[in-house]
Amino acid sequence: MACPDGLLTVVILAGGRGRRLGGCDKGLFKWQGKPLIEHVLQNIESVTPNILINANQNIDVYQQYGYPVVSDATADFAGPLAGMLVALRSVDTPFILTLPCDAPFASPDIIVKFCDVHKERQQRLYIAATAEGLQPVYAMIHNSLTDSLTQYLEAGNRKVQNWMKANDAVVVDFERQASSFVNINTENDLRSIC
């Protein structure tokens, strides 16, 4: 099944420093002739028109993709949770579904499976897992968790998995879709998938 209209906004997390890529803005790092974020967008645009980009640099470049762009509330590159929080505060759908900008193989099946599991479980927080372990930046988060996430970050916490475990995240098995979770953190990663 497809996701019901208005259930979620897909948020592409592109707000990191790209330290392992020499400070390059990871979402704009080119692979196969185009920026990584374009690969992600191309993969998911057929599933939903509700897309938001979280970025903390090169805002004007990201805006050219035609989707809203939001930046973290703090200027210290506080990690994925900060991007999740600003997204939760910026959308009018019940859920956000987050994907990293450095996952060029992210499949629309990820979105559909999260929606299917939500239809069965009716919980507020879902996190992907493969044989490699939890994949915490692939998550579906209900907006009722905004206050919990705000308090967690204001206390100086940054670990995504700890916050998700504390909020009883439902682990969704994506082992059959494991290839969709290949991500690029370094130039060696780029070479390994070329």
Side-chain angles (χ1 to χ4, degrees):
M1 81 168 240
C3 295
D5 287 343
L7 177 68
L8 58 81
T9 299
V10 175
V11 179
I12 302 174
L13 299 172
R17 282 187 211 266
R19 284 177 298 201
R20 287 176 283 185
L21 280 170
C24 173
D25 187 339
K26 209 186 298 187
L28 302 179
F29 200 91
K30 288 193 176 177
W31 177 64
Q32 292 190 344
K34 60 186 178 184
L36 288 173
I37 195 166
E38 289 188 21
H39 293 275
V40 180
L41 286 169
Q42 182 178 351
N43 291 345
I44 65 171
E45 285 174 324
S46 64
V47 180
T48 179
N50 297 329
I51 296 173
L52 181 77
I53 299 170
N54 165 236
N56 293 312
Q57 52 188 331
N58 300 306
I59 307 302
D60 55 335
V61 178
Y62 285 109
Q63 287 173 333
Q64 293 174 14
Y65 292 106
Y67 297 105
V69 179
V70 294
S71 298
D72 297 352
T74 60
D76 61 351
F77 293 88
L81 286 177
M84 293 172 182
L85 179 58
V86 72
L88 284 166
R89 291 174 172 170
S90 301
V91 303
D92 57 8
T93 54
F95 281 92
I96 61 168
L97 191 154
T98 59
L99 301 172
C101 66
D102 60 352
F105 305 110
S107 163
D109 293 342
I110 294 173
I111 301 168
V112 172
K113 184 164 185 178
F114 269 124
C115 290
D116 287 348
V117 172
H118 173 64
K119 184 179 179 184
E120 295 171 8
R121 302 288 297 271
Q122 294 294 309
Q123 298 298 309
R124 299 190 301 166
L125 180 59
Y126 305 86
I127 179 174
T130 65
E132 302 293 318
L134 295 177
Q135 305 287 337
V137 292
Y138 297 82
M140 186 169 163
I141 307 165
H142 195 269
N143 62 19
S144 63
L145 291 169
T146 303
D147 287 347
S148 167
L149 183 50
T150 299
Q151 292 164 12
Y152 184 79
L153 286 170
E154 285 178 350
N157 300 303
R158 296 289 183 265
K159 292 197 176 288
V160 181
Q161 291 186 33
N162 289 352
W163 177 74
M164 291 186 170
K165 287 178 181 176
N167 283 280
D168 301 317
V170 173
V171 176
V172 181
D173 180 9
F174 281 93
E175 182 50 33
R176 291 186 178 178
Q177 296 90 6
S179 61
S180 290
F181 292 81
V182 173
N183 70 328
I184 295 169
N185 285 307
T186 66
E187 293 193 46
N188 283 337
D189 290 339
L190 275 173
R191 284 192 284 271
S192 72
I193 63 173
C194 290

